[in-house]
Every structure is written in C-alpha cells, then in structure tokens.
Amino acid sequence: MTLLATERIKLFTTRSPWWCALLTLAVTIGFAALITGTTDAGGGSVAATQFGYQFGLPVIMVLAALSVTTEYRFGTMRTTFQAIPNRAAALLAKTAVVALLVLVIGEISAFGSWGIANLLKPSADFALNSSADWINVTGVGLVYALAAVVAIAVGLLVRHSAGAIALLMIYGLAVENLIRLIPNVGDDIYKWLPFNVANRFLTGDGSNRGAVLDGPPLSTSSLGTWWALAYFAAFAFVMLAIAITVTRKRDA
C-alpha cells in the first residue's frame, strides 16, 4: 500500500495527467455531442455516442507514457529505485495507479458521451438494451486501461518522452492500417494486431450500430468479444513484463 500511495502522490502532483484527462473528456464528449447533433431527429445508436473513443485513446497513451518518461527526464526514477531496490514492485505499483486512473477517465468519458447524447436528443433510442450496448460503453474504460499498460511499457523501454510518444502515435495512427497494404498477407496479419482486436471487443460484430461510421471502427478480427479482450490484455501484460525485465537489467 505504501508503494501505491507513493505512486499516487507522484502522479497527482504533476500537471500532465490533469491536462490529459481534461483533453480526453473534452474530445470524447465533444465528438459525441457533434455526432449526435448532426444526425436526423430520432436517429443514432449507442455506438454513435462512443465515436470519440478513438480520439481519446492517443491522449490516454500519452498520459501513461509521460508518467514514466517524466521520471527519467528529471532523474526521480533513479531516486525511486534507490529507495525501492525491488524495481518490479515499484513499476507494478506505478502501472496499477496509472491504469486505475485511466480506467476511471475512460468510464467517465464513455458515460459522459452517452449522457450528452441523451440530453441533446432525448427522442433517440440510446437505451442500453443489450450486452453489446453495455460493452460499447463500459468497455471503453477497460480498453483505455490496457492501452495505458502498453504505453507504460513503451515508456520504460524508450525512456524519452518525445521518442515514446512518437512511437505510440505512429503505431496507433498509421502502422496497423499500413500493414493491410502488404500484398497477400496484410489482411491476415491485421486481424491479429492488438488495437484492431481491442476494437473487436468494443464493437463486436457491429449489429448494434445504426451505420457503418457509428462508433469506433469495426474490427476484422475473428475472435469473440471476450476472447478479444483477453488477447489485448495478454499483449499488454507481455509488453509490460518485457519492459520490467529490461529495466531491471540496465542502469536507471
């Protein structure tokens, strides 16, 4: 508990988490208001309220990466490892605190987006009537939290804010889609890429969408909903395990 309290204090006494949290909420809820406000009266779907999820995700990953790279930048990571020789315990505590914060931000953004849609268009059917609807909303926090674990792992491996953020943004915004351009095997590889699989968890087969563009992009993964979540979680924790192993073997 002492480690968790220490990491909580370090996280909440810096400005970047607050700014990233506010930006995530503004982007996701703002897009929900925009998309809902431009649909026909009575139109729309639960999935449409979560359209901003894909724009909040990069900000969340920046938040998580900065929670690590900022410590390397100012040398406080060295002090942490001197005070806590068990580096794995210190890093797991940091990961737990950041992931929990991101989970809360994700749920607030998802339900805030859903709430603003109901407020702006009370005549539309935004009721959470099915498990797919519930996952589409509540699943945002889970995906954000696991994405934060991935970002922390990248931050530990790269250790520089600009490099880690650039790597995360390039991969998240471009690399997975570019993989599809590889002749013959591109689409087969893309089915197993982590963020494509994460979208499978959120969107399922898309049966609850009002239109193709409603909500996060549909996934081409063939995994079932909960298997997709398990796959993304496994990827996140394997990345974290690699990062902790590397961190334990090199100088702080």
Side-chain angles (χ1 to χ4, degrees), residues 48-69:
T49 68
Q50 304 305 312
F51 183 84
Y53 145 83
Q54 58 193 316
F55 301 102
L57 182 61
V59 183
I60 285 298
M61 296 181 75
V62 169
L63 183 161
L66 287 176
S67 71
V68 173
T69 58

Side-chain angles (χ1 to χ4, degrees), residues 8-113:
R8 175 182 57 80
I9 292 169
K10 286 196 292 185
L11 183 64
F12 285 102
T13 52
T14 56
R15 294 180 181 178
S16 56
W18 297 103
W19 284 112
C20 288
L22 290 173
L23 182 58
T24 300
L25 295 176
V27 168
T28 53
I29 297 175
F31 267 104
L34 178 65
I35 296 299
T36 304
T38 54
T39 55
D40 297 332
S45 65
V46 171
T49 68
Q50 304 305 312
F51 183 84
Y53 145 83
Q54 58 193 316
F55 301 102
L57 182 61
V59 183
I60 285 298
M61 296 181 75
V62 169
L63 183 161
L66 287 176
S67 71
V68 173
T69 58
T70 301
E71 287 211 52
Y72 279 112
R73 178 184 176 189
F74 292 105
T76 55
M77 188 66 83
R78 184 178 296 107
T79 304
T80 296
F81 290 157
Q82 289 174 344
I84 308 166
N86 188 344
R87 295 186 178 187
L91 295 175
L92 287 173
K94 177 183 289 294
T95 302
V97 170
V98 174
L100 181 59
L101 171 63
V102 167
L103 174 66
V104 172
I105 294 172
E107 295 302 330
I108 293 174
S109 70
F111 279 98
S113 299

Side-chain angles (χ1 to χ4, degrees), residues 10 42-43 47 52 68 76 87 110 128 130 132 137 188 190 201 220 235 244:
K10 286 196 292 185
V68 173
T76 55
R87 295 186 178 187
L128 303 178
S130 66
V137 179
D188 292 330
Y190 180 70
F201 166 66
T220 61
F235 171 79
I244 290 176

Side-chain angles (χ1 to χ4, degrees), residues 114-152:
W114 178 74
I116 197 72
N118 277 282
L119 184 64
L120 292 176
K121 193 159 292 184
S123 60
D125 182 15
F126 293 127
L128 303 178
N129 293 319
S130 66
S131 60
D133 290 335
W134 277 102
I135 290 173
N136 221 160
V137 179
T138 60
V140 170
L142 293 173
V143 172
Y144 275 8
L146 292 171
V149 174
V150 174
I152 288 172

